Amino acid sequence: MVNSDFLKNLNKAQKEAVIHLEGPLLIVAGAGSGKTKVLTSRIANIIKERKAFPNQILAVTFTNKAAKEMQTRVSKLLGSSATGLSWLGTFHSICAKLLRKHCSVVGLNSNFTIIDMDDQTRLIKNICKAENIDFKKIAPKYIMAIIDKWKNKGLYPNEVVINSKELYEKNILPIYKIYQQKLKELNSCDFGDLILHTVKILEKNSDILEMYLKNFKYILVDEYQDTNYIQNKWLNLLVSKDQNICCVGDDDQSIYSWRGAEIKNFLEFDKVYKNTTVIRLEQNYRSTENILSVASALISNNQNRVGKTLITTLEKGDLVKLNCFKNGKDEATGISDEIEKIKKRYSFNNIAILVRAIFQTREFEERFLKVGIPYRILGGTKFYERAEIKDCVAYLRLVYQEKDDLSFERIVNNPKRSIGDNTIKTIHGFSKEKNLALEASSKIMIEQNLIKPKTKIGLRIFLNLMNKWRNDLNIKKINHIKLLQIILDESGYSAMLKNKKDLENESRLENIKELLSAMKEFDNLESFLEHVSLATSIDQEWEGEKVNMMTMHGAKGLEFETVFLPGWEEGLFPHQKSIEEKGQNGLEEERRLAYVGITRAKRKAIISFSMNRFYQGDWIDSMASRFIDELPEEYIEKNSIFDETKEEIDDFEFNQDFENDDEFRSPGWNRYQKRIK
C-alpha cells in the first residue's frame, strides 16, 4: 500500500512515476515539471514500501549540488529511514567508491589519488617536454580534451583507432599511452579514469559484476539526456535482470554534445530496455501559457525527439515580445530601457540576459555601465577583464605610453619571444637601480650586452615593433582600430591564437573581434583607453541586486521572472560553426538551446535581433534567425524599434527582405540567400 504522504501535491503523471516500481521506466520531464520532486518521492516510496533497503538503491546525478538536494529532500520525507543512502551521488563519486574496492584489478592501490586539471596540465607538459613535443602549438588543455574524449568512448590507448584525417589525434595518441603509464606509476587517476576503469573492471570480472547486480535493486538517473557513452555503458552493466532502472530527463534540453553527451541514449532507451514504460511530465509549474506555447511550437520542428506537450495552470500572461533593432548598440539600449521600466515590478536578481556567445555581453556591459544598471556575469568574466582583451589593451597602452611598466610586463613575452621570468627580473633590478621605465632599461641593457644573446634577439624584435607602431600612430596617423589590427598581425598574437590547437581559442578570437567593434565608438586611442580604465575600475560585486548575464548553456537549470534573448540572427544563432560541423544534428541542438533559453522565463520573455552589426571594423547586414520564422504568430508581439519615423517602421518587414548595397554580409546572410534560392 502506497503511503499517501508521498502523493500529496503530486499531479496524476507525477504520482504514476512515483508508484511505478516494476521494470524500466523513462520519465520525460519537461522544463519546470518537478522532476526532482518525483525522483525524491520515488526513492522515498521504494524505501517505505520495503522494495529495497537504502543501500540497495543507486541514485545518480551530475552535480554534487543535485545529489545533496536529493538527499535533503528524501530525509525530509522519511526522516531517519533515509539514512544509509550510500549509493546516492554523482557518476564520478560513485565510481570512485567502486574503484577503491577493486582498484588492484587495474593496477592501482586503494590509496590512489585523483588528480585535478592543474595536475593533468602539468603532467601533459612534462610528457611533451620529455618527448620533444611543442605544446605551444598544441595546448595541453586540447590534448587533455582529446584524451577525455577517448575515455568517454570507453577506449584505453591500445583500443584507439585513428582516422587518417585526424592528424592532431595521431600525434596525441603516443602522449595518451605515456600519460596512462605515468598515472599508473604515480598511483593516480583522472576523472575520466574513474568511470573508464570501473567499466573495464565490471566487463572483465563477472564475479564483481554479479555482486553489484545482486545488491542494486533500483537504479535512478537524473538528467539522463546529458549522459555520454561510457556513463551509459556503466549503467547498462549494473542493471539487474529485473531491469528496475528509472531515467529522468528531457531530450528537448540536450545541449551538451560538445561535452560528449549523446542524445541517442535517451531516444533509444526503449530499444535497449524492452517493455519500457514512458511517462511524460507535461505539467509546467514555472512559465505562463504564452511562453510555453512559443517554446513548444519552436521545439516541435525538431525531428529527433520523444515528444511532449507542456501545459500550465498559470495565466496566459504577456505575449512573448519580438523586437527588431537597427543595430547591436540600439539593441543594448532598448533592453536597458525595458529593464528600467520593469525594475519596480521585478528585482534585478530576477532578470536575465541570455546570449549564444559570451562576446555578446560587451555591448550590454557598456550600456549598463553608462546608465548605472548593476550586473553580474554568471559563469564568465567581465568583457574587459578577459585575458585576451587585457593583452590587446596592454599593447595599446604601451604604444601610447612607453613608461607603462605593467603593460610591458604583460606583453613583452606574449606571444613567446624567449624572454623568461629571470630576464624580466633582471630588467626590473636595472630599472630600479637607474630609476628608468622597463622599456628604457631594456634598450640600455641590450646596448651594454647585459642580456643573453637568444633573449636579446627576441627583446630587440619587440622593441623595434613598439617603435614601428608608435610611428604608425603618431606619424602615419593610423587610426586606433587599424593600429590594433596591425599589432595583432605583426606581433604574432593573431597567429598564436589561430594556429594553436586550443578549445578556447575560438571564443578568444570572437572576443577580440568584438573589441575591434567597441573601438569604433571612440574617436581616438586616448579616449578608448580612458574608457577601458573607467570600465575596469568598477569591481564585480556579487552581493545585492544585479541583472544576470550568461550564455544559454550556462542558464540550464535556472529560472528568472524576466528573460531577454538578444542576437537571434543567422550565423550567430543558430551558430554558423554548429551547422557547418554537425549539419542537421547541429541545427536541432541549436533549436534545443533556444527552447532552453525561452523556458527559463517565468513571466516575461523578450527575443530580439538586429538588422546590422559592427564586426571587425565594418558594418554587416544581419538576417533574422530562422528560429524566428518558427515562432507562432498568435503568441508573439512584434516591435520594430527604430529612431526613424513611423512610416519607415511600417515599411520594415520581419522577413528582412530589404536592399542594401553594402558588400559586407554576415555568414548567416549568405547562407540564407542560398536557402531561399
Side-chain angles (χ1 to χ4, degrees):
M1 182 71 183
V2 176
N3 189 297
S4 61
D5 288 346
F6 301 118
L7 304 181
K8 285 182 179 179
N9 302 316
L10 295 178
N11 62 41
K12 184 181 177 182
Q14 290 174 330
K15 288 177 186 176
E16 189 182 349
V18 169
I19 65 177
H20 183 97
L21 300 181
E22 304 301 325
L25 175 64
L26 182 68
I27 302 175
V28 185
S33 62
K35 67 177 177 66
T36 305
K37 187 177 187 179
V38 168
L39 269 176
T40 52
S41 297
R42 184 177 167 85
I43 292 172
N45 188 42
I46 291 169
I47 297 170
K48 192 72 176 180
E49 292 298 299
R50 301 183 184 275
K51 292 290 186 176
F53 292 108
N55 68 351
Q56 293 176 317
I57 299 172
L58 174 63
V60 192
T61 69
F62 271 86
T63 65
N64 290 318
K65 182 182 177 183
K68 189 177 179 181
E69 171 75 7
M70 199 176 293
Q71 179 71 65
T72 302
R73 290 200 191 190
V74 175
S75 296
K76 283 183 180 179
L77 291 174
L78 290 182
S80 60
S81 300
T83 56
L85 282 167
S86 52
W87 297 102
L88 191 162
T90 64
F91 279 97
H92 291 107
S93 67
I94 294 171
C95 282
K97 190 174 178 178
L98 286 168
L99 191 56
R100 294 275 178 209
K101 293 184 178 187
H102 312 289
C103 52
S104 60
V105 179
V106 289
L108 294 172
N109 298 323
S110 60
N111 64 341
F112 67 83
T113 55
I114 303 168
I115 65 171
D116 59 19
M117 193 167 283
D118 286 342
D119 292 330
Q120 282 180 273
T121 305
R122 197 176 305 113
L123 181 55
I124 293 289
K125 282 185 175 179
N126 290 339
I127 293 169
C128 289
K129 286 178 182 176
E131 299 297 313
N132 292 316
I133 297 167
D134 188 2
F135 58 80
K136 296 174 186 175
K137 291 183 179 178
I138 308 178
K141 282 187 178 179
Y142 180 78
I143 295 171
M144 285 158 50
I146 298 299
I147 291 173
D148 197 50
K149 181 184 81 171
W150 286 329
K151 291 185 177 184
N152 287 342
K153 290 184 180 294
L155 302 172
Y156 280 140
N158 63 329
E159 298 169 318
V160 175
V161 178
I162 301 293
N163 187 311
S164 58
K165 296 179 181 178
E166 301 293 344
L167 181 62
Y168 279 105
E169 292 193 3
K170 187 178 179 181
N171 294 331
I172 292 171
L173 184 55
I175 301 174
Y176 183 23
K177 291 176 180 176
I178 300 169
Y179 175 74
Q180 286 303 104
Q181 185 58 42
K182 290 287 184 184
L183 285 176
K184 188 175 282 189
E185 291 171 5
L186 294 166
N187 192 38
S188 299
C189 61
D190 60 23
F191 281 97
D193 285 330
L194 293 174
I195 304 178
L196 178 60
H197 286 333
T198 304
V199 165
K200 296 296 185 184
I201 290 169
L202 296 174
E203 280 184 322
K204 296 177 181 180
N205 299 271
S206 57
D207 55 331
I208 297 174
L209 175 61
E210 188 63 28
M211 179 175 67
Y212 289 105
L213 287 173
K214 287 180 179 177
N215 183 74
F216 295 137
K217 303 296 184 186
Y218 288 90
I219 297 176
L220 297 92
V221 188
D222 192 16
E223 302 287 4
Y224 184 59
Q225 79 281 346
D226 293 333
T227 54
N228 58 32
Y229 172 85
I230 196 70
Q231 290 165 339
N232 198 49
K233 179 78 173 178
W234 178 71
L235 290 169
N236 292 344
L237 286 166
L238 291 172
V239 176
S240 66
K241 63 180 180 180
D242 294 329
Q243 294 201 321
N244 289 331
I245 181 171
C246 169
C247 292
V248 185
D250 185 2
D251 53 318
D252 290 336
Q253 296 188 65
S254 179
I255 57 174
Y256 296 125
S257 67
W258 50 279
R259 289 184 188 169
E262 296 191 3
I263 192 173
K264 73 175 184 179
N265 293 344
F266 194 99
L267 299 176
E268 297 178 1
F269 183 88
D270 59 344
K271 294 179 183 176
V272 175
Y273 302 102
K274 303 301 180 185
N275 302 315
T276 291
T277 299
V278 179
I279 297 175
R280 291 171 171 81
L281 304 183
E282 298 176 312
Q283 179 76 51
N284 176 284
Y285 296 94
R286 176 188 299 154
S287 307
T288 62
E289 186 179 325
N290 283 330
I291 290 172
L292 288 184
S293 296
V294 169
S296 297
L298 178 66
I299 200 63
S300 68
N301 290 279
N302 273 7
Q303 299 300 310
N304 295 309
R305 61 191 295 261
V306 175
K308 61 183 173 301
T309 304
L310 293 183
I311 57 173
T312 182
T313 56
L314 299 176
E315 72 277 9
K316 283 196 172 186
D318 296 339
L319 294 172
V320 172
K321 282 189 178 181
L322 176 59
N323 293 335
C324 171
F325 294 94
K326 193 172 183 179
N327 53 54
K329 189 176 181 181
D330 285 355
E331 186 177 43
T333 301
I335 288 175
S336 73
D337 290 347
E338 185 76 17
I339 290 172
E340 292 285 1
K341 289 178 188 174
I342 64 173
K343 67 180 182 182
K344 291 182 180 178
R345 185 178 174 190
Y346 304 114
S347 73
F348 285 144
N349 285 343
N350 265 313
I351 298 172
I353 297 173
L354 310 183
V355 296
R356 175 59 181 87
I358 195 64
F359 76 85
Q360 291 174 261
T361 67
R362 197 273 307 173
E363 283 188 301
F364 297 102
E365 291 186 58
E366 300 272 19
R367 177 64 185 174
F368 286 11
L369 287 170
K370 187 176 181 179
V371 299
I373 294 177
Y375 70 93
R376 63 172 68 88
I377 306 289
L378 291 177
T381 309
K382 283 188 170 184
F383 183 80
Y384 288 111
E385 294 295 331
R386 294 166 194 167
E388 60 279 5
I389 302 302
K390 293 180 80 169
D391 291 342
C392 291
V393 171
Y395 268 107
L396 292 170
R397 287 193 194 282
L398 191 60
V399 169
Y400 184 72
Q401 168 55 270
E402 63 186 52
K403 293 182 179 181
D404 191 332
D405 285 353
L406 290 175
S407 294
F408 179 92
E409 270 190 283
R410 184 175 186 93
I411 49 103
V412 68
N413 198 41
N414 187 16
K416 301 293 184 185
R417 302 184 178 92
S418 302
I419 305 167
D421 292 341
N422 288 334
T423 301
I424 294 172
K425 189 176 178 181
T426 304
I427 296 171
H428 260 291
F430 188 91
S431 168
K432 189 175 180 180
E433 182 186 334
K434 302 295 183 181
N435 195 28
L436 294 169
L438 294 180
E439 185 176 339
S441 298
S442 302
K443 291 175 181 175
I444 295 171
M445 292 176 75
I446 287 174
E447 292 170 0
Q448 297 181 1
N449 287 318
L450 299 175
I451 303 288
K452 293 178 181 178
K454 186 180 178 181
T455 305
K456 187 193 292 186
I457 294 170
L459 189 55
R460 182 177 280 132
I461 289 171
F462 175 73
L463 295 173
N464 288 339
L465 282 171
M466 292 306 305
N467 289 333
K468 190 264 181 186
W469 296 329
R470 287 180 187 127
N471 186 69
D472 288 342
L473 177 67
N474 300 317
I475 308 300
K476 293 184 179 180
K477 303 297 181 183
I478 290 175
N479 73 55
H480 51 301
I481 302 168
K482 183 64 178 174
L483 178 65
L484 179 56
Q485 291 173 321
I486 291 170
I487 290 171
L488 291 169
D489 182 36
E490 295 180 350
S491 67
Y493 195 94
S494 289
M496 175 185 73
L497 292 184
K498 289 174 183 175
N499 298 335
K500 191 175 183 179
K501 210 67 175 168
D502 190 324
L503 296 175
E504 298 171 1
N505 275 0
E506 185 181 348
S507 178
R508 294 187 184 111
L509 287 165
E510 288 292 344
N511 283 333
I512 290 173
K513 290 169 185 175
E514 184 62 21
L515 178 67
L516 289 164
S517 298
M519 294 171 70
K520 179 73 174 178
E521 298 175 21
F522 301 90
D523 294 331
N524 51 52
L525 181 59
E526 182 181 12
S527 60
F528 170 70
L529 292 176
E530 184 178 311
H531 169 77
V532 174
S533 296
L534 293 171
T536 54
S537 66
I538 302 172
D539 294 331
Q540 171 96 322
E541 294 189 12
W542 289 83
E543 301 301 319
E545 294 283 325
K546 289 180 172 46
V547 174
N548 303 283
M549 292 190 210
M550 71 201 80
T551 63
M552 281 182 273
H553 283 102
K556 189 168 176 288
L558 304 177
E559 60 182 40
F560 306 92
E561 294 290 336
T562 300
V563 170
F564 293 92
L565 298 153
W568 280 42
E569 298 143 28
E570 285 288 309
L572 182 55
F573 192 50
H575 201 280
Q576 181 81 5
K577 186 181 177 186
S578 186
I579 294 176
E580 287 176 353
E581 292 184 354
K582 302 178 208 171
Q584 185 64 23
N585 289 336
L587 177 61
E588 293 209 351
E589 182 158 342
E590 291 287 294
R591 191 177 283 112
R592 292 195 291 270
L593 191 56
Y595 173 84
V596 167
I598 295 170
T599 54
R600 299 312 92 193
K602 297 167 72 174
R603 295 291 178 268
K604 293 176 74 71
I606 301 98
I607 299 167
S608 59
F609 67 97
S610 299
M611 292 172 60
N612 303 277
R613 287 204 182 266
F614 198 75
Y615 189 73
Q616 285 188 273
D618 292 301
W619 285 104
I620 64 170
D621 297 322
S622 300
M623 286 298 308
S625 169
R626 68 185 70 190
F627 296 155
I628 288 174
D629 292 335
E630 299 170 1
L631 304 178
E633 296 267 345
E634 62 268 35
Y635 305 111
I636 297 292
E637 177 190 324
K638 294 180 178 180
N639 301 286
S640 300
I641 305 175
F642 288 178
D643 293 329
E644 281 84 349
T645 64
K646 178 70 167 61
E647 287 76 19
E648 289 175 311
I649 295 173
D650 289 340
D651 286 341
F652 180 75
E653 297 288 338
F654 268 78
N655 63 13
Q656 297 269 301
D657 189 18
F658 60 88
E659 297 295 325
N660 193 312
D661 294 330
D662 192 352
E663 64 179 297
F664 298 100
R665 305 291 192 194
S666 70
W669 173 285
N670 295 324
R671 191 172 65 235
Y672 181 81
Q673 297 306 312
K674 292 177 184 177
R675 190 157 59 94
I676 62 176
K677 286 178 180 176

